[in-house]
């Protein structure tokens, strides 16, 4: 029977996953030393066991990543037969290539570190770039939270919902949510300034008049992408605008920016533990683990 180790960043999700898998949790003691260094201590036996470490690497990314690496390495050294790193939010995955000369391909470095720590497999959720998961020395599986988000949305009383992706890259996800809600979808196109990070979204006509629009994305960070899309559909007569995402990073000012643009409700998952985490990704992780 697989054992679940909830890391300091994902204690709630780890507990939910253990419940899904009907297995036990091994606790982790953690603290930060006065100089800022991280400490973890595993409480329990792992020799000969298959273990899944659940540790999402949302902000503070570097701290959460170090804790993950310390846990994976320790569990391996203590004799676990197999260690699976479940990292719902894979930090740095947006830096999946060298956009500007001389940049670090940080997403790749993070994955290599997880492999070096001893992970036999990686499980992640709605990773920003699936290309990052190719050609690794260990098995990497990406699962989608979109069916779970769609199930949550189906319980809200939405009026003739329209599902919108704020950029072309997530059109597939919007399509999936729309098909599960038995409705239609569309996408916008955006460009991001590589130096300032500012997002520009192209205006296009959408069939949103008098309808509830749900904007779906993988990550909400500054909220700029969602705010632009919300302003566009509001100006075209949308009745209500909601935003749903897998990773509610919600950097400072993000919620205010989106609300000002007309977003009434923000729905996220516990891939990133936040006050908007209304959907648990535990069932998706459990299903993937059963297949691994
Ligand atoms: C980028 O392409 C992603 O899919 C998200 O749209 C993006 O990360 C959101 O960032 P922000 O909230 O800062 O606009």
């Amino acid at each position: 029977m697989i054992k679940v180790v909830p890391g300091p960043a994902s204690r709630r999700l780890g507990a939910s996953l253990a419940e899904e898998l009907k297995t036990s949790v091994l606790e982790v003691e953690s603290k930060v030393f006065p100089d800022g260094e991280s400490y973890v201590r595993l409480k329990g036996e792992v020799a000969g066991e298959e273990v899944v470490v659940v540790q999402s690497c949302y902000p503070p990314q570097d701290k959460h990543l170090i804790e993950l690496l310390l846990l994976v390495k320790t569990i391996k050294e203590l004799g676990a037969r197999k260690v699976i790193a479940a990292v719902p939010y894979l930090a740095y995955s947006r830096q999946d290539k060298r956009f500007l000369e001389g940049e670090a391909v940080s997403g790749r470095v993070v994955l290599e570190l997880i492999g070096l720590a001893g992970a036999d497999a990686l499980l992640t959720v709605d990773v920003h770039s699936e290309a990052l998961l190719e050609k690794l020395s260990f098995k990497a599986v990406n699962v989608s939270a979109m069916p779970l988000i769609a199930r949550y949305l189906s319980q809200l009383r939405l009026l003739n919902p329209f599902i919108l992706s704020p950029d072309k890259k997530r059109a597939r996800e919007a399509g999936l949510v729309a098909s599960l809600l038995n409705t239609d979808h569309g996408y916008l196109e955006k460009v991001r300034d590589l130096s300032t990070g500012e997002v520009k979204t192209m205006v296009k006509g959408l069939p949103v008049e008098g309808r509830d629009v749900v904007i779906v994305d993988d990550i909400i960070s500054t909220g700029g992408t969602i705010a632009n899309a919300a302003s566009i559909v509001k100006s075209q007569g949308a009745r209500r605008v909601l935003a749903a995402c897998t990773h509610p990073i919600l950097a400072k000012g993000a919620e205010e920016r989106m609300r000002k643009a007309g977003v009434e409700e923000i729905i996220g998952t516990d891939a990133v533990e936040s006050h908007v985490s209304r959907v648990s990704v535990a069932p998706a992780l459990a299903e993937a683990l059963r297949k691994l």
Side-chain angles (χ1 to χ4, degrees):
M1 172 77 67
I2 194 163
K3 287 193 170 169
V4 176
V5 175
S10 298
R11 294 200 196 274
R12 258 194 293 155
L13 175 58
S16 309
L17 178 63
E19 237 177 87
E20 284 285 331
L21 294 169
K22 299 190 177 25
T23 187
S24 57
V25 158
L26 291 185
E27 298 215 346
V28 171
E29 181 189 330
S30 68
K31 63 184 176 192
V32 177
F33 288 109
D35 62 358
E37 290 180 356
S38 299
Y39 166 98
V40 294
R41 180 178 169 218
L42 181 71
K43 295 183 149 181
E45 298 287 316
V46 288
E49 305 281 356
E50 188 175 352
V51 179
V52 55
V53 180
V54 190
Q55 170 83 347
S56 200
C57 291
Y58 56 86
Q61 293 90 332
D62 298 356
K63 175 176 179 284
H64 290 156
L65 176 63
I66 279 289
E67 289 168 340
L68 169 72
L69 298 173
L70 297 178
L71 282 170
V72 170
K73 178 78 176 152
T74 306
I75 291 165
K76 208 62 203 224
E77 283 174 356
L78 294 176
R81 180 167 51 84
K82 186 172 179 184
V83 182
I84 299 164
V87 190
Y89 180 68
L90 192 63
Y92 295 96
S93 60
R94 284 182 286 180
Q95 186 77 45
D96 58 339
K97 59 182 176 201
R98 236 181 285 290
F99 297 95
L100 299 173
E101 208 180 318
E103 282 181 347
V105 186
S106 326
R108 194 76 201 168
V109 175
V110 164
L111 285 163
E112 281 171 15
L113 285 171
I114 294 172
L116 283 172
D120 297 292
L122 170 87
L123 199 51
T124 187
V125 184
D126 289 325
V127 68
H128 184 70
S129 164
E130 283 202 88
L132 265 182
L133 306 183
E134 287 164 10
K135 296 187 198 138
L136 292 171
S137 57
F138 50 90
K139 192 175 168 75
V141 176
N142 179 41
V143 301
S144 175
M146 292 299 150
L148 296 165
I149 290 176
R151 192 162 74 192
Y152 179 85
L153 293 171
S154 72
Q155 289 156 11
L156 306 179
R157 291 209 178 125
L158 297 175
L159 183 78
N160 193 10
F162 180 77
I163 314 301
L164 178 67
S165 166
D167 60 36
K168 208 172 174 179
K169 261 180 139 182
R170 302 290 146 196
R172 196 181 59 177
E173 281 78 1
L176 174 61
V177 172
S179 72
L180 293 167
L181 294 179
N182 207 11
T183 190
D184 52 340
H185 70 283
Y187 66 86
L188 290 165
E189 292 198 56
K190 75 168 193 204
V191 281
R192 191 183 285 274
D193 185 307
L194 287 180
S195 310
T196 64
E198 205 191 314
V199 172
K200 258 198 200 133
T201 307
M202 275 40 102
V203 177
K204 111 180 185 201
L206 294 162
V208 293
E209 194 166 352
R211 300 177 70 180
D212 289 351
V213 176
V214 185
I215 309 170
V216 293
D217 210 346
D218 57 339
I219 303 168
I220 300 180
S221 178
T222 64
T225 300
I226 297 284
N228 285 1
S231 304
I232 291 172
V233 291
K234 268 298 202 191
S235 72
Q236 294 181 13
R239 191 181 82 114
R240 294 177 66 209
V241 182
L242 293 84
C245 72
T246 307
H247 306 292
I249 296 291
L250 303 181
K252 198 161 170 265
E255 287 188 76
E256 204 194 336
R257 186 169 293 120
M258 290 186 282
R259 300 230 184 256
K260 271 192 185 154
V263 176
E264 280 181 29
E265 195 173 332
I266 303 158
I267 298 146
T269 79
D270 56 2
V272 173
E273 297 195 355
S274 129
H275 62 286
V276 303
S277 303
R278 308 210 196 296
V279 177
S280 180
V281 297
L285 292 177
E287 194 186 323
L289 281 168
R290 286 187 201 108
K291 286 186 196 154
L292 256 178

